[in-house]
């Protein structure tokens, strides 16, 4: 979200048909609601907010599980659950072994 969008009151993160409403804490794909847990929502928000940038497991732990100690496996399990719920957008959440995860834009099909 850029500064103009923030001033205009835009409180959504969008990627094609995927939309996160940051005020209502809801997620939709092509207007259809998807049921995300608070952790899944926070993970997707972090990844979409930093689209194209690799976020380390440590960065995800500190921002999503604030004040709670979790293992790398906890992140992997939650990412797997999130991917299952994202259907066609699952491939956008990419693992970079040894580095972390990122939300990567995919080329449009021809």
């Amino acid at each position: 979200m850029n500064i103009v969008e923030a001033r205009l009151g835009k409180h959504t993160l969008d990627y094609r048909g995927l939309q996160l409403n940051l005020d209502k804490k809801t997620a939709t794909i092509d207007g259809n609601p998807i049921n995300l847990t608070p952790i899944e929502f926070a993970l997707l928000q972090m990844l979409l907010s930093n689209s194209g940038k690799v976020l380390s497991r440590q960065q995800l732990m500190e921002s999503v599980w604030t004040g709670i100690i979790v293992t790398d496996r906890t992140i992997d399990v939650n990412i797997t659950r999130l991917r299952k719920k994202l259907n066609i957008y699952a491939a956008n959440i990419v693992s970079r072994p040894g580095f972390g995860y990122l939300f990567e834009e995919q080329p449009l099909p021809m």
Side-chain angles (χ1 to χ4, degrees):
M1 177 170 20
N2 65 37
I3 293 171
V4 173
E5 290 170 332
R7 287 186 183 152
L8 293 175
K10 181 172 181 184
H11 298 273
T12 62
L13 293 172
D14 303 278
Y15 175 74
R16 297 185 185 161
L18 174 63
Q19 183 179 69
L20 284 184
N21 185 310
L22 304 179
D23 292 331
K24 295 180 181 178
K25 303 295 186 213
T26 58
T28 58
I29 295 177
D30 297 327
N32 299 309
I34 53 175
N35 189 24
L36 299 180
T37 67
I39 293 295
E40 292 163 349
F41 187 91
L43 276 171
L44 186 54
Q45 181 180 349
M46 277 296 296
L47 292 168
L48 272 174
S49 295
N50 295 282
S51 184
K53 178 182 174 186
V54 175
L55 298 175
S56 71
R57 283 185 163 88
Q58 189 65 35
Q59 288 172 301
L60 292 172
M61 282 185 226
E62 290 172 1
S63 63
V64 175
W65 287 273
T66 307
I68 300 171
I69 298 172
V70 296
T71 65
D72 288 352
R73 185 71 186 133
T74 301
I75 294 170
D76 297 339
V77 167
N78 280 279
I79 290 286
T80 298
R81 289 179 184 157
L82 179 58
R83 283 178 174 149
K84 285 180 183 177
K85 292 180 180 183
L86 291 180
N87 298 320
I88 62 171
Y89 298 105
N92 295 90
I93 298 178
V94 178
S95 172
R96 293 284 189 253
F99 296 101
Y101 291 96
L102 77 145
F103 190 91
E104 187 170 75
E105 293 188 17
Q106 303 291 324
L108 288 170
M110 295 283 191

